[in-house]
Amino acid sequence: MSGIGLHVPEPGARPGDEPDFSHIVVQPAGSVDCPPHDADEHELRHLAFDLIRVLDDDDHARGGWNPRLDPDVLRAGLEAMLLTRAFDDRLFRLHRQGKTSFYMKSTGEEACAVAPSLALRRDDMAFPTYRVAGWLHARGYPLERMVNQIFSNAEDPLRGRQLPILYSARDYGFYSLSGNVGSRFGHAVGWAMAAAYSGRDQIALGYIGEGTTAEGDFHEALTFASVYRAPAILCVTNNQWAISSFSGIANGTAQSFAAKAIGYGLPGLRVDGNDFLAVWSVIDWAARRARAGLGATLIEFFTYRAAGHSTSDDPTRYRPASEAAHWPLGDPVERLSGHLTAIGEWDEAREETLKAELAARVAAAVAVAEKVGTLGKSKPPLREMFLGVFKEPDWRLTEQMRELGLEEHD
Amino acid sequence: MIQALNDAMDVMMARDPRVLVFGEDVGFFGGVFRVTDGLQARHGRHRCFDTPIAEGGIVATAIGMAAYGLRPVPEIQFADYILPAYDQLVSEAARLRYRSGGEFEAAITVRSPYGGGIFGGQTHSQSPEAIFAHITGLKTVIPSNPHDAKGLLIAAVEDDDPVIFLEPKRLYNGPFDGHGDGPLKTWAGHTRAEVPSGYYTVPLGKADVVRPGGDLTILAYGTMVHVALAAVKASGCDGEVIDLRSIVPLDIDSISASVERTGRCLIVHEASRFSGFGAELAALVQERCFYSLERPVMRVCGWDTPYPHAFEWDYFPSPQRVGTAITRLLARD
Ligand SMILES: Cc1ncc(C[n+]2csc(CCOP(=O)(O)OP(=O)(O)O)c2C)c(N)n1
C-alpha cells in the first residue's frame, strides 16, 4: 500500500480465514552456523535474522548448534514439559469450576522455560514472565505450593497477597512476578550488574513477551546491558500474539525481534522456540559468553501461544481457531519426544506411563491444596494483609489492624 | 455501562472526524472489556486501532495528535498500567497549554477501567484517582452508572483539557453494593441505566445528589456510590448521598451546601486512605463548613496496603464499615 493515510497493520488471518503463516521462512535444521561464543558482535549479526534450529523433520539433531545432551537430560526436559502441560490443563479446569480467580497456560511454549531452567545454574536468577512456570516444574518446585498460591489459601507461600500464578521462588532462581508486563526486565540487568560488581560469574536471565518489547523497559534494559556489559541473557518470547494483537503491532514490518540487539551493539540470536535442543544450545552459548565477561545476548524464542492468553480470553474472537494446528514449527513436547524415540531412548508406552504418573502427581497436589481450601474457602490470617508493607508497620497500619480487631504481634 | 460508553464513542466518532479511539486490544477485538466493540468495524481501522503495549507511547502519541488538532480517546487497559504514562500526563498533557502560552493544548480523554471487587489482585484493582487529582491541569472523571457514563464521556471528549476518565470496572455489568457474596445484578431495571440514544452530555463538575437526606452527607464516586446507598438503607438513617461524578472539576458548592445543612460528613472511597482524595475533601469541608460541623469529618477507605487478592472483601470498603461510620457520626453524646 502506498499513498498518504494512516497505516494500521493487520495480521494475515482473522477468524473465518485460512491460517496464514506463509511469511515465515523455516530454515532447515542445522543450516545456521554456530560461531564461537567469544566471537565479535559484528560477526554475529546474521544470527539475528536466521532461525537457529537443531531438530529436523525426521526428529534428528543436526548441525553446529546441537548441544549433544545426555538422554537423561533430554528425558528430564520432556518430563518437565509434560508436567507443565498436565499442571496447566488441570488448573485451567479448576478455574472453570470456580476454584480460583485466574489462570494462565503456557501451552506450546514449554521449551522456552524448561530448557533454560535446566541449562543454567542454581545460583543464576530468572526474571520470569507469567508464561514460564515450566522453569519451576523443571526444578522440582513443590506442586502443592503452587496450587496453594493459586488458591490464595492459608498455606499460600505469598500470604494471599498476590494474583494466582504470579509466583515468587527465590530458592529456585525465580524472581517475584508482577501483573505489570515488562517492569522486571531492567531488574535482570541490574541483578547481572550486581553479580559482575561482586566478582561472581552468576548470570541473570530476563524474559519478556514480544508484545511487551514496545515498553520503554525493554529498551532501557538493553541500553544498560550494553553500556555495562552486564552478564545477562535477555529473552523475547515471540509467541506471535499479545492478547489479540499480532506481533506486527509490536514490530511493524520488521520480522525479527532478535535484530533489535544490533542497534544496542549486542549479539541477537533468533531461535526455534519449539526446539528444546536449539533453545538449550543458545542459552548455553549466551551463558558461556556472559560468564566469560563478554556481556549480554538478546535471544528471540520464535514460538506460538497455542492456548488462550488467560482464563479471561477467547482467542477464537481474533484469530482462526485452527491456527495452532498450522504453526509450522510443530509442538515442543512432540518434537522432543520424537527425537528421544528416534535415538532409541523413548517409546510410546513409556510416555503413556509417564503422562499417567504426572497426572496423578498433579491430582495429588491439588487434593492436598483443596483440603486446605480453594479461593475464598480458606485464606491466610487477616493480619497478613498489613504485614510486609513496611518492614515494621507504622502507626497507620497498626491503627488499621486494631480497627479490624487484630493485634500487630498476635 | 459498557454499552453506554461504547455508545458515547460511537456518537462522537460519527459527529467528529477528529475523534480517534486506540489502545491495547482496542481495535479488532474491541477491548478486553469490550468497551470499544464494533467501533473499528463501523468507523474504520484508521479511527479505532490497536497500539503497541507501551502506555507512555500511547499517551505521548495522543498528545501529539491533539497538538495537531485531533481529539484522541486512548484507552489504558487497566488503570494499574497507567503509571508508565504518568510522566506524559503530568509533565506534558497537564502543562502543554500553560507553558506554550496557549499555542498548543492536549485535548485528550484517557479512558481506563479502575477499582476493585473483581478478585483482580494487586495490579487489576487499584484506584489511582488521587495521583491525578493532585496534578493541576488534569481533569478526573468517574461515572457511577450508565446514564452518566455516556453523558460524561461525551463531555470529556468535547472538553479542551486533558481528562482522565476512570471507569469502575466492577460496575461495567451491573450495580454493586459491596456485598461480595451476593448475587450478581445487571443494570436492567436500574433507574440510571436508561441511556438516551444519540448525543447528550452530563457536564463535568456537577455532582449528583443521588439520595437527598438531612442526617448526614456522604461523599462518594464510582462503585462507592452504590455501597453508600446500601449502607444508608441498612442503617435506616436519612443520609444524603452525593455522587461527585468528577473530582476535578469538583462541585464544591453542592458539597458545602449539603454539609452546611447536615453538619455531618462521611467520605467513602476504595483507594487507600493516606493522602487519598478523601483527605482533600475533608480539608475542604473543614475549611468551608467548620461552623456547621457537628462531628469530625470521617473517612471509610481501602487500607494503607497494596490491594490483596485473598482479602478482597476485607480490603474493599463494605456497607458494614460504612454503616459503622454512619452510626458513629449520628451517635449522641
Ligand atoms: C504495563 C502493562 N500494560 C498492559 C498490561 C495488560 N496485558 C497483560 S498481558 C498483555 C499482553 C502481553 O503480550 P506479550 O508481551 O506478547 O506476552 P504473552 O502474553 O504473549 O506471553 C497485556 C497487554 C499489563 N499487564 N501491564
Side-chain angles (χ1 to χ4, degrees), chain A residues 101 152 160-161 215 244 379, chain B residues 25 55 122-123 304 309-310 314:
Chain A
S101 56
S152 279
R161 299 176 191 147
E215 293 278 9
S244 73
K379 60 186 175 184
Chain B
D25 303 291
E55 293 76 14
Q122 293 179 16
T123 52
D304 286 316
H309 182 251
D314 304 296

Side-chain angles (χ1 to χ4, degrees), chain B residues 130-213:
Chain B
I131 66 172
F132 300 115
H134 185 61
I135 303 305
T136 192
L138 293 180
K139 291 178 173 169
T140 300
V141 177
I142 306 176
S144 73
N145 60 69
H147 172 274
D148 289 0
K150 179 173 171 183
L152 288 168
L153 183 52
I154 290 177
V157 173
E158 291 190 324
D159 199 281
D160 290 335
D161 291 315
V163 179
I164 311 294
F165 194 91
L166 296 173
E167 301 167 2
K169 66 177 98 66
R170 179 64 215 226
L171 301 183
Y172 269 154
N173 295 307
F176 179 62
D177 64 10
H179 289 104
D181 46 2
L184 286 180
K185 284 192 205 113
T186 69
W187 282 109
H190 192 279
T191 49
R192 306 293 284 168
E194 261 166 53
V195 177
S197 68
Y199 174 93
Y200 69 95
T201 60
V202 172
L204 310 186
K206 289 292 316 157
D208 184 20
V209 180
V210 289
R211 186 199 184 285

Side-chain angles (χ1 to χ4, degrees), chain A residues 127 185-197 200-206 220-234 264-267 286-298:
Chain A
F127 292 75
F185 212 55
H187 300 194
V189 175
W191 195 94
M193 288 165 65
Y197 167 83
R200 307 192 43 199
D201 69 345
Q202 296 162 289
I203 57 180
L205 180 134
E220 291 161 6
L222 289 178
T223 300
F224 278 73
S226 171
V227 169
Y228 296 106
R229 212 179 282 172
I233 308 177
L234 299 171
Y264 295 96
L266 298 173
R288 279 187 283 137
R289 188 175 173 90
R291 289 197 220 280
L294 298 171
T297 301
L298 181 69

Side-chain angles (χ1 to χ4, degrees), chain A residues 8 10 14 101 152 160-161 163-164 179-180 211 214-215 242-245 249 317 379-380 382 385-386 396-397 400, chain B residues 25 28-29 34 45-46 49-55 81 120 122-124 274 303-305 308-311 314:
Chain A
V8 178
E10 263 293 295
R14 287 294 194 182
S101 56
S152 279
R161 299 176 191 147
L163 197 68
N180 308 53
E215 293 278 9
I243 310 183
S244 73
S245 299
I249 292 292
R317 298 185 89 128
K379 60 186 175 184
L382 188 51
M385 178 163 72
F386 295 100
R396 295 174 286 169
L397 294 167
Q400 290 174 16
Chain B
D25 303 291
F28 184 88
F29 188 48
R34 326 243 19 94
R45 201 193 290 163
H46 60 303
F49 51 85
D50 291 337
T51 62
I53 302 170
E55 293 76 14
Y81 304 138
Q122 293 179 16
T123 52
H124 305 90
F274 196 86
W303 309 110
D304 286 316
T305 74
H309 182 251
F311 308 109
D314 304 296

